[in-house]
Amino acid sequence: MSLKRDENPFPTLSDFKSPKGRMSRRKFFKLMGAGAATYILLSDVFVSSAASVDDKFEFPDKELISSWIHISKAGIITVFTGKVEIGQNIRTSLSQVVAEELSVAPHEINLIMGDTLLTPYDRGTYGSLTTLQISPVLRLAAANLREILLEEAEKVLGISSSKLQLKDGKVMDADSANSVDFEHLLEGKKVLRKINKDVATISPEQWRFAGHSVPKINGKDFITGSHKYVSDMVLPNMVYGKILRPPAYGAELLRADTTNAENIPGIMLISDGDFIAVVADSPGKAAMALASVDSSWGPGKLIEPGALFEHLVKSSKDGKPKRQSLEDNYEEAPLKLNQWFEIDYIAHVPLETRAALASWKDGEVEVWAGTQRPFGLHEDLAKEFDLPLDKIRVHVPDTGSGYGGKQTSEVGIEAAKLSKVVGRPVKVCWTREEEFKWAYFRPAGVIDVKASVNNGKINTWEFHNYNSGAAGIDFPYSGAEEHIEFHRSSSPLRQGSYRALSSTANVFAMESTINDLARELKLDPLQFRIAHLDKPRLINVIKAGAEAFDWGKEKKQSEIGYGMACGTVKGGFVATFVEVEVENKSRKLNVRRVVTAFECGVIINPRHLKSQVIGCVLQGLGGALFEAVDFKDAKLTNPGLSSYRVPRFSDVPEMKVVLLNRKDLPSSGAGEAPIVCIAPALRNAIHDACGVKLYRLPMLPSGVVPEHT
């Protein structure tokens, strides 16, 4: 089985089976071309429980690295990771760190990602963990391979390895110009070693490939349209599937007459209880057949939106007891604030909707899916079809964004279920409406904050988050007696991960309240923050952003407002500064300028890091100002881009990104942290411009600033 365009040059499942049905590493390396398999200690990426589903299936030993890096007889350097590319450009940055250690150009690295047959087990691509966890693993693997190459070259050339160097796929002696290719050193050999953790990686001060703005690997394919997303892929004899969905949340199927659909030529109908689907040789014919199904449904079951926030609080679990001293100190403080923030559900709106292509052969299933968790889908398929893991293969081609929203397996299971029944490859692509209605949302929430100040210092800090989440809930400021708690609630809508998780909500409430305290004291919000911080990295981004923004300058117009916010999330440190204008008559908001300073350790690719920061800020504008899921009578009322407002080109302000490059610190991820400060910075700028304080996300669903808080 092969796709018309299959970017993976490796054989299919059956080619990797020994006679007993096990995956054969020996055969794998023979097919790859005999070369070097380097072994390394690894932690926190293998899950032993996965192997228990089928004791014949072998995931790599967690202390070995034979699947991480390989040089073939043809000199091709292939690197493996279970992480996936969903627009964050880790394909490029991971290629850079390996290329750096082997002294080859990044485009010479063949990176295999998210293939459950070829790559080590990985829990998923989320949480800004790829750069933090996998980049060091690959760097160390490549550094070990470099040492092996030097040792082998010393034998071949008769020159001490200390006098040899790697360059452009060769090991060479700079004095004599004698050299030997990587592939000639390792031809016919398998060098199996455990990791030497003392092998040094190249210092960032000496980087030639990492640390620079290398163009996006395979970027030309995306620009020209030659890259094939799952939704573009075609297999021979493939058909297209559509699934009947309820018209409202919680509605139960009462009756379904499929006669009209079955009478359409070329239509295959699948019915299994409440699961009804059609397949056809074109998406249009499948959609027409599905529309002809005459179905009746019971009433939907969902609370009304006006009762949402009260429900989240009332359905939460009892909290921890508070210390009496905190209550007493709060009551005795001369300045007290008690503020209530409300956070609406919002959708992920990925550019590429969920899509999967499945094909069965000889009792084995192969699935191509746009998922952030290929191994999660792998395991869910095993459970759904009661299959051993070695009879399932999941591929994840580079995917059109996820933002935390593609961690579930439903579309892959749907495609596999239909393919098994009809005996042909089946592709299922969710429509934009299905993506809005049946994917999960960023959680709604309520945040209750009580804070006090005594003698100019934050005295008490009490923070309760209901349902939204615990990410980013820690208070970065020092000196206060604290009570911080997340309360789980019963969510009426399906909810799950979102970019930066609940940090966007928690930092919004936190930084709004901190700003309000400073304003009540008639202090500069920037200086008030710094006075309460003992985190040098956070202070540094505040100062860098303030300098670039020219914080403190006198406003020339009364309608202008300045605002700021700062935070630290997932190893990143961010400060955002905003200039807004609130028009007096129309109350229209104009976001004029945004400056974001960001630090996440040593920078692997400055250009792409800047793009990540800009992408976070622009996406954060939507959730801050107008993005919200609307529902009524158990139905989503804005399930399309014509009714669900996302940022547009006209919303983009003048933007500046200041990157602090800490070559003395390891790299952290950058796909989430920069999003958390834009909402509170905007809120604080609006307050500065017109005196109105806003306490709900999104702040301006109607598009105008209210006249009163």
Side-chain angles (χ1 to χ4, degrees):
M1 154 194 344
S2 61
L3 293 168
K4 286 187 177 178
R5 173 181 169 82
D6 190 345
E7 295 181 345
N8 188 345
F10 299 102
T12 58
L13 277 168
S14 59
D15 294 317
F16 285 85
K17 308 293 179 180
S18 71
K20 294 182 179 180
R22 285 176 175 261
M23 183 190 303
S24 169
R25 293 190 179 281
R26 182 174 299 148
K27 187 171 183 180
F28 167 69
F29 280 108
K30 182 177 180 180
L31 289 164
M32 292 248 338
T38 302
Y39 287 70
I40 186 172
L41 286 173
L42 184 64
S43 63
D44 199 35
V45 295
F46 296 106
V47 175
S48 59
S49 62
S52 67
V53 176
D54 172 21
D55 59 7
K56 294 183 179 180
F57 185 81
E58 297 177 350
F59 280 128
D61 187 319
K62 65 180 182 180
E63 294 189 349
L64 302 177
I65 196 175
S66 58
S67 294
W68 290 97
I69 189 166
H70 183 81
I71 299 178
S72 73
K73 291 176 68 174
I76 298 172
I77 303 170
T78 303
V79 175
F80 306 91
T81 174
K83 297 297 184 187
V84 297
E85 174 62 63
I86 48 176
Q88 78 280 45
N89 206 34
I90 57 168
R91 181 178 293 280
T92 302
S93 62
L94 293 180
S95 296
Q96 284 180 264
V97 298
V98 173
E100 185 64 53
E101 300 299 328
L102 297 178
S103 296
V104 298
H107 68 265
E108 297 293 340
I109 304 298
N110 178 35
L111 184 60
I112 304 298
M113 307 181 73
D115 184 327
T116 60
L117 184 62
L118 301 181
T119 65
Y121 185 95
D122 188 276
R123 288 189 176 96
T125 304
Y126 55 79
S128 296
L129 296 176
T130 301
T131 299
L132 179 66
Q133 292 184 351
I134 300 303
S135 181
V137 168
L138 295 183
R139 283 184 69 192
L140 193 54
N144 273 260
L145 181 56
R146 180 187 66 233
E147 296 304 304
I148 293 170
L149 290 166
L150 289 170
E151 291 173 12
E152 294 298 312
E154 182 177 40
K155 299 173 186 176
V156 172
L157 298 175
I159 301 171
S160 171
S161 61
S162 62
K163 297 182 179 181
L164 299 176
Q165 62 185 21
L166 276 64
K167 185 177 181 181
D168 299 332
K170 301 176 184 291
V171 180
M172 58 188 304
D173 172 29
D175 294 333
S176 65
N178 290 337
S179 67
V180 58
D181 295 337
F182 289 176
E183 58 266 33
H184 292 149
L185 286 173
L186 302 176
E187 185 174 6
K189 300 174 183 177
K190 285 184 182 178
V191 184
L192 306 179
R193 291 190 184 180
K194 289 187 175 182
I195 186 62
N196 177 0
K197 291 188 290 184
D198 295 328
V199 170
T201 56
I202 296 173
S203 168
E205 286 80 6
Q206 299 175 308
W207 280 354
R208 294 188 301 133
F209 301 109
H212 299 278
S213 295
V214 174
K216 179 180 175 66
I217 300 293
N218 69 11
K220 183 178 179 181
D221 294 341
F222 292 90
I223 293 172
T224 61
S226 60
H227 172 71
K228 299 299 180 184
Y229 295 96
V230 173
S231 50
D232 299 319
M233 292 180 170
V234 177
L235 284 175
N237 204 32
M238 188 185 80
V239 289
Y240 300 83
K242 292 286 185 182
I243 291 88
L244 184 67
R245 315 277 185 197
Y249 295 116
E252 296 182 359
L253 182 64
L254 303 177
R255 179 188 62 84
D257 183 352
T258 60
T259 304
N260 291 335
E262 293 176 86
N263 288 334
I264 299 175
I267 292 296
M268 291 173 279
L269 187 130
I270 297 92
S271 180
D272 181 11
D274 289 347
F275 180 81
I276 296 176
V278 296
V279 295
D281 57 8
S282 73
K285 186 182 288 187
M288 180 179 66
L290 187 67
S292 71
V293 174
D294 182 12
S295 60
S296 297
W297 299 81
K301 301 172 185 177
L302 193 68
I303 67 170
E304 288 305 305
L308 172 62
F309 299 116
E310 182 181 4
H311 166 81
L312 293 177
V313 174
K314 286 186 174 180
S315 66
S316 66
K317 297 181 179 180
D318 293 337
K320 298 177 292 186
K322 293 180 288 186
R323 293 183 300 275
Q324 186 60 43
S325 60
L326 184 140
E327 292 279 7
D328 294 342
N329 289 333
Y330 175 80
E331 292 298 334
E332 294 170 3
L335 173 59
K336 298 185 286 288
L337 289 180
N338 188 356
Q339 307 198 135
W340 176 277
F341 297 86
E342 297 173 343
I343 315 298
D344 274 306
Y345 293 105
I346 65 174
H348 298 82
V349 201
L351 183 63
E352 181 187 17
T353 62
R354 280 164 171 73
L357 168 59
S359 181
W360 289 78
K361 182 180 180 182
D362 299 330
E364 300 178 346
V365 64
E366 199 156 3
V367 177
W368 291 259
T371 175
Q372 294 176 237
R373 297 183 64 244
F375 288 88
L377 175 56
H378 190 233
E379 293 164 358
D380 289 342
L381 289 164
K383 294 173 185 176
E384 178 71 22
F385 299 103
D386 194 24
L387 281 177
L389 288 174
D390 62 352
K391 293 186 179 295
I392 304 164
R393 183 178 185 181
V394 174
H395 310 255
V396 182
D398 292 7
T399 297
S401 70
Y403 313 121
K406 292 180 178 176
Q407 297 191 33
T408 50
S409 302
E410 55 271 273
V411 69
I413 291 174
E414 288 171 351
K417 185 181 290 188
L418 298 183
S419 176
K420 187 175 184 180
V421 173
V422 303
R424 297 168 64 177
V426 173
K427 181 162 68 175
V428 175
C429 298
W430 281 20
T431 64
R432 180 61 62 187
E433 182 173 336
E434 285 178 303
E435 184 72 32
F436 269 108
K437 287 183 175 180
W438 304 111
Y440 52 86
F441 304 109
R442 187 192 73 182
V446 171
I447 300 175
D448 186 11
V449 185
K450 291 174 70 175
S452 66
V453 173
N454 200 346
N455 295 322
K457 296 291 185 180
I458 302 172
N459 184 44
T460 64
W461 182 262
E462 185 177 349
F463 193 97
H464 296 268
N465 178 303
Y466 297 89
N467 188 66
S468 182
I473 203 170
D474 292 335
F475 193 52
Y477 301 98
S478 60
E481 185 175 6
E482 301 176 7
H483 181 94
I484 300 172
E485 194 167 0
F486 164 58
H487 305 263
R488 296 186 184 278
S489 306
S490 172
S491 174
L493 289 178
R494 188 184 181 202
Q495 62 183 26
S497 296
Y498 185 88
R499 197 173 198 172
L501 302 172
S502 60
S503 298
T504 49
N506 288 324
V507 173
F508 174 68
M510 188 182 305
E511 285 296 287
S512 297
T513 303
I514 290 296
N515 212 81
D516 291 349
L517 289 172
R519 293 296 187 187
E520 290 288 337
L521 294 168
K522 296 181 170 50
L523 297 175
D524 180 349
L526 183 149
Q527 296 302 330
F528 184 72
R529 286 173 169 87
I530 289 178
H532 286 87
L533 284 172
D534 57 8
K535 299 179 184 298
R537 296 174 73 180
L538 191 52
I539 293 171
N540 288 341
V541 294
I542 292 172
K543 290 181 176 179
E547 181 179 359
F549 186 81
D550 198 10
W551 179 267
K553 72 176 180 180
E554 185 177 350
K555 294 187 291 185
K556 296 181 180 180
Q557 300 171 248
S558 60
E559 301 89 352
I560 298 297
Y562 301 141
M564 70 160 293
C566 64
T568 174
V569 176
K570 299 182 183 296
F573 296 81
V574 60
T576 298
F577 296 78
V578 172
E579 177 183 334
V580 302
E581 176 190 8
V582 179
E583 297 180 4
N584 279 329
K585 293 183 179 180
S586 68
R587 307 296 292 179
K588 178 184 176 183
L589 176 72
N590 297 314
V591 183
R592 294 161 61 105
R593 279 195 304 145
V594 176
V595 172
T596 299
F598 184 65
E599 188 260 290
C600 60
V602 62
I603 298 173
I604 296 175
N605 190 312
R607 176 184 173 186
H608 294 144
L609 177 57
K610 181 180 178 181
S611 296
Q612 280 280 35
V613 174
I614 291 173
C616 277
V617 171
L618 292 180
Q619 185 172 21
L621 278 173
L625 297 178
F626 32 71
E627 282 191 54
V629 170
D630 295 328
F631 57 96
K632 184 179 180 181
D633 299 329
K635 297 180 180 179
L636 200 67
T637 59
N638 58 339
L641 289 172
S642 60
S643 53
Y644 184 93
R645 176 80 156 84
V646 296
R648 302 166 181 163
F649 284 112
S650 59
D651 298 316
V652 178
E654 176 187 335
M655 298 187 68
K656 184 173 184 178
V657 175
V658 180
L659 300 178
L660 282 67
N661 191 7
R662 291 293 302 271
K663 294 184 178 181
D664 58 322
L665 295 172
S667 301
S668 295
E672 298 180 88
I675 198 175
V676 302
C677 289
I678 182 63
L682 281 167
R683 184 263 191 192
N684 296 334
I686 292 169
H687 179 217
D688 186 51
C690 64
V692 174
K693 298 178 182 179
L694 301 171
Y695 299 94
R696 182 168 177 173
L697 291 180
M699 290 181 280
L700 305 179
S702 65
V704 297
V705 179
E707 294 188 5
H708 306 285
T709 297

